Amino acid sequence: AQKVTQAQTEISVVEKEDVTLDCVYETRDTTYYLFWYKQPPSGELVFLIRRNSFDEQNEISGRYSWNFQKSTSSFNFTITASQVVDSAVYFCALSGSGSARQLTFGSGTQLTVLP
Amino acid sequence: KAGVTQTPRYLIKTRGQQVTLSCSPISGHRSVSWYQQTPGQGLQFLFEYFSETQRNKGNFPGRFSGRQFSNSRSEMNVSTLELGDSALYLCASSLTGQATRELFFGEGSRLTVL
């Protein structure tokens, strides 16, 4: 069985602060895929990033960066210099090769960026 | 290009009724998945269709069903509605539905069961 844990239910920061969202996963698959999605108030989930289990290279994209560590089964997401528009619910998700075409989501982290 | 379109966006039903939700995927996408989102259970996978065939199904009772048409549009149906079926139902499409591919979600259909 697969499991994704996002221990932070809610985070509140002031604009321009950096914020890290934590994600810990469990899977028995040797090949798997990790995702981050953002859900603004409008409801649709917006894809942010995908990582393969065999690619531990961390990535930076603008103000976003991701830290994937297989040794600790973590896939954390950092927003640098946060902005009010970053306020949303962020979901970490897992798809294993044994459960293709099905995402297991974490419970989400509500991020509020205050002006 | 147009995103994933779900209709209706909001609906209210009473217990025992049935409901049909519709999803039009991104043009060219052949895989459509459905997810249920509730405050208590979070996001849960319902089922996935590819080329009119259900390839995967989540752990939901038989009251939840779906289908996909030849143009990749999909519908899901919930019969004999229960209060616990109140949720945001999200449809997602992808090019092939492979595990490696990201999903593109619609804004959802918010169902309230009274």
Side-chain angles (χ1 to χ4, degrees), chain A residues 33 35 37 39 42-45 47 50 91 95-96 100-103 105, chain B residues 9 35 37 43 45 48 55-56 90 97 99-103 105-107:
Chain A
Y33 309 90
F35 303 79
Y37 284 85
Q39 186 176 39
S42 55
E44 84 278 21
L45 287 158
F47 166 76
R50 174 187 63 243
F91 290 94
S95 177
R101 305 177 291 275
Q102 173 179 341
L103 286 177
F105 285 90
Chain B
R9 290 291 315 281
Y35 288 79
Q37 185 176 24
L43 279 155
F45 171 76
E48 188 258 355
R55 296 195 298 189
N56 200 3
L90 291 164
T100 58
R101 308 291 301 201
E102 63 269 30
L103 299 180
F105 285 83
E107 292 183 319

Side-chain angles (χ1 to χ4, degrees), chain B residues 47-79:
Chain B
F47 25 65
E48 188 258 355
Y49 288 87
F50 182 84
S51 293
E52 302 179 66
T53 300
Q54 185 183 90
R55 296 195 298 189
N56 200 3
K57 189 177 191 307
N59 189 24
F60 278 83
R63 299 185 297 106
F64 292 81
S65 63
R67 59 178 175 169
Q68 187 181 33
F69 302 95
S70 58
N71 62 357
S72 293
R73 191 177 70 84
S74 177
E75 288 182 349
M76 67 162 283
N77 184 278
V78 187
S79 62

Side-chain angles (χ1 to χ4, degrees), chain B residues 21-32:
Chain B
L21 309 177
S22 179
C23 172
S24 293
I26 292 172
S27 178
H29 284 194
R30 297 170 64 190
S31 169
V32 173

Side-chain angles (χ1 to χ4, degrees), chain A residues 17-58:
Chain A
E17 286 185 0
D18 298 347
V19 57
T20 296
L21 309 182
D22 298 333
C23 172
V24 174
Y25 62 90
E26 296 175 28
T27 180
R28 293 179 185 165
D29 293 333
T30 53
T31 300
Y32 52 89
Y33 309 90
L34 294 161
F35 303 79
W36 275 97
Y37 284 85
K38 171 183 178 180
Q39 186 176 39
S42 55
E44 84 278 21
L45 287 158
V46 178
F47 166 76
L48 296 176
I49 191 172
R50 174 187 63 243
R51 260 292 171 265
N52 304 327
S53 55
F54 43 87
D55 178 9
E56 287 192 71
Q57 184 176 6
N58 293 316

Side-chain angles (χ1 to χ4, degrees), chain B residues 12-25:
Chain B
I12 300 174
K13 294 285 187 178
T14 57
R15 279 184 301 173
Q17 287 186 312
Q18 67 95 27
V19 65
T20 298
L21 309 177
S22 179
C23 172
S24 293

